[in-house]
Amino acid sequence: MRPQEIIAVKRDGGELSREHIDAFIAGVCDGSWADYQISAMVMAMFTRGLNPDEQNALTFAMLHSGEVLDLSDIPLPKADKHSTGGVGDKTSLIIAPILAACGIAVPMISGRGLGHTGGTLDKLESIAGYDVNLTTDRFRRIIETCGFAMSGQTADIAPADKKLYALRDATATVPYIPLIVASIMSKKLAEGLDALVLDVKTGSGAFMPNIEDSIRLAEAMVQTGRNFGVRTEAVVSEMGRPLGRYAGNICEVYECVKILRNEPLELAEPTRELSIELAARAIVLAGIENDLVSARSLAEAKLGSGAAYERFAENCRLQDGNIDSIPTSDPFAGKGLSTLEIKAERSGWLETADALAIGEAVVAIGGGRVHAEDGIDFEVGFECFAEVGSEVREGDLLGVLYSRTVEDAECVSEKLRGAYKISETPVTPSPLVSGIV
Ligand code: URA
């Protein structure tokens, strides 16, 4: 069938067969479908919808458009965590070493930040020398040696998604759940996992700001994981405010290392708590513990004993990262950065520290990227000084932006001040985890 005939099926509201979808994905990969035909097809999918069978067939075809890792010769359960992305969302750097220390192999393939959400690869690359461009062979050897490896998506993993995502981005067809599910799950399922924990964010800084949409996305991803034989669970977690103390790159690595080394750090507790929660769920799904209470204790013990930190340090060495380049105290000190202090304009209770506005401010000063090809300034970022729900007095410091120049900070000062709202009455912050699927 010619591309236009397959497009017409969906344009007219019909159901695509597995053969139609296989032909579409084959055409995306071998270049026989032109960009305008691919774009027309995703727009037809977006407007007419995909039923669960079509969504599964699309995920399957995208997954098999490239290599599916076979790690069966590593005699450990394989598990991973994937987050839909947020501001200050840094838990991967804590969860992977915890799981590795528990005897789980973690083949973590991550992405870069785009827009206001940060990316694990950028955070890792803020460690001097850290190599995220691993060949499959090296990726496998690092997992065998230290239990986890963290790499970018190679050209062989779900190549159809790379092309489709770029065209969806350019044609306003990203925010449709079946397309998102096929995109994310085709990449995650290519890791050859036994178990997968999804952290679906909700709130202003999330990809799906609205809780109902976040739950629907979580349900669809969990069902897809299970359809493909992977034990999958999702946690819906709060992203109306940044996670933990820092948002940026090397500053976030610093926060993770403080947690991995059991060193006190104010306002970092939500990062630690969410990391333990997600790790514990992966530990149960991987069959290492039978229940969450024991799994949480095991995750805590691996942090407490320093076993997780040892795995992190070993991984850094194996991926050519210089662990000594990670700051051991204030991550912004001595870099000649300008500071913009955000102070409470009145006394009351902190009601909002808007993750979207804070994330956008970090991008605007160079700590994130607007276009996929943009470079990143790893040293700039934002530091939170007050938690949502806490009582503040007029003039108290709420947060500080660290930028390369005063002019950079001035451009976002209004946005950042608008990110904070203070209530005259006590505020109960929304819970860190609002649902489990
Ligand atoms: N992230 C992805 O990888 N794909 C999507 O479609 C949306 C977010």
Side-chain angles (χ1 to χ4, degrees):
M1 252 172 130
R2 294 182 307 150
Q4 46 272 55
E5 290 168 318
I6 302 177
I7 297 166
V9 172
K10 196 35 86 182
R11 180 201 62 197
D12 298 340
E15 179 175 346
L16 295 170
S17 66
R18 186 168 279 274
E19 290 70 34
H20 289 143
I21 290 176
D22 286 348
F24 167 52
I25 293 303
V28 169
C29 293
D30 67 17
S32 59
W33 280 49
D35 285 2
Y36 47 80
Q37 292 172 314
I38 301 170
S39 303
M41 184 59 153
V42 286
M43 184 56 86
M45 289 173 162
F46 185 95
T47 54
R48 290 299 196 164
L50 290 175
N51 67 27
D53 288 342
E54 293 174 302
Q55 181 195 284
N56 266 327
L58 183 63
T59 310
F60 185 89
M62 287 169 66
L63 166 65
H64 292 286
S65 68
E67 180 188 12
V68 179
L69 292 180
D70 177 7
L71 301 174
S72 54
D73 53 336
I74 301 179
L76 298 173
K78 283 102 204 159
D80 192 10
K81 184 270 323 181
H82 174 79
S83 159
T84 56
V87 180
D89 179 28
K90 50 189 88 70
T91 61
S92 293
L93 276 67
I94 300 168
I95 295 170
I98 293 179
L99 296 185
C102 293
I104 297 170
V106 186
M108 196 177 267
I109 295 176
S110 303
R112 296 192 179 281
L114 189 58
H116 68 276
T117 58
T120 301
L121 295 186
D122 298 320
K123 294 171 217 222
L124 291 169
E125 282 188 337
S126 72
I127 305 170
Y130 196 99
D131 185 2
V132 295
N133 299 309
L134 306 180
T135 60
T136 305
D137 265 1
R138 188 161 173 228
F139 188 64
R140 179 189 301 270
R141 268 184 279 117
I142 293 173
I143 298 170
E144 282 166 351
T145 314
C146 79
F148 77 97
M150 303 178 108
S151 180
Q153 187 185 352
T154 64
D156 300 332
I157 301 279
D161 179 61
K162 208 173 180 132
K163 176 98 196 179
L164 276 178
Y165 197 23
L167 290 174
R168 285 169 57 214
D169 192 34
T171 56
T173 49
V174 170
Y176 177 53
I177 286 179
L179 293 177
I180 298 170
V181 171
S183 166
I184 294 179
M185 295 304 284
S186 62
K187 288 175 282 197
K188 283 288 128 181
L189 294 168
E191 293 177 352
L193 302 172
D194 301 305
L196 174 63
V197 175
L198 298 158
D199 180 11
V200 179
K201 302 289 187 191
T202 193
S204 74
F207 178 60
M208 289 263 149
N210 159 311
I211 181 79
E212 288 79 24
D213 287 341
S214 305
I215 292 173
R216 283 199 303 128
L217 175 62
E219 286 171 348
M221 290 204 288
V222 168
Q223 191 52 54
T224 303
R226 291 180 181 169
N227 292 344
F228 283 78
V230 176
R231 295 188 289 277
T232 310
E233 203 170 89
V235 167
V236 178
S237 77
E238 175 57 33
M239 192 31 73
R241 51 187 186 261
L243 180 69
R245 182 168 182 127
Y246 295 102
N249 289 282
I250 194 67
C251 57
E252 291 194 32
V253 176
Y254 166 76
E255 180 172 336
C256 293
V257 170
K258 291 293 274 186
I259 292 170
L260 286 165
R261 291 174 62 98
N262 300 295
E263 291 168 3
L265 180 67
E266 266 183 66
L267 270 67
E269 188 49 31
T271 306
R272 186 180 196 281
E273 194 185 320
L274 186 59
S275 302
I276 296 279
E277 183 62 28
L278 295 165
R281 287 179 185 276
I283 289 168
V284 174
L285 289 178
I288 300 289
E289 291 286 1
N290 290 325
D291 62 87
L292 271 175
V293 175
S294 326
R296 283 193 195 104
S297 312
L298 183 63
E300 293 272 6
K302 296 300 176 189
L303 272 183
S305 66
Y309 178 70
E310 277 170 31
R311 296 285 176 145
F312 175 81
E314 173 76 340
N315 169 271
C316 240
R317 193 181 61 73
L318 293 167
Q319 296 204 210
D320 305 331
N322 177 4
I323 202 162
D324 295 332
S325 72
I326 303 171
T328 50
S329 58
D330 183 351
F332 298 113
K335 316 246 190 244
L337 298 170
S338 295
T339 55
L340 171 73
E341 297 187 340
I342 309 297
K343 292 188 170 167
E345 283 167 8
R346 59 189 169 107
S347 298
W349 285 265
L350 186 59
E351 187 176 1
T352 313
D354 183 48
L356 176 61
I358 293 170
E360 285 179 344
V362 172
V363 173
I365 61 167
R369 58 171 75 74
V370 181
H371 304 291
E373 61 282 2
D374 294 347
I376 280 204
D377 185 334
F378 294 131
E379 292 180 341
V380 300
F382 189 79
E383 180 169 13
C384 300
F385 279 92
E387 268 182 316
V388 170
S390 62
E391 190 171 2
V392 294
R393 305 212 150 273
E394 186 180 336
D396 279 358
L397 198 53
L398 302 178
V400 178
L401 182 80
Y402 298 84
S403 61
R404 201 46 72 188
T405 65
V406 181
E407 293 74 28
D408 285 350
E410 273 167 6
C411 292
V412 294
S413 71
E414 204 170 316
K415 180 189 278 290
L416 271 181
R417 289 185 217 290
Y420 283 90
K421 285 197 181 58
I422 292 169
S423 158
E424 283 173 10
T425 52
V427 169
T428 308
S430 39
L432 189 56
V433 171
S434 52
I436 307 293
V437 175

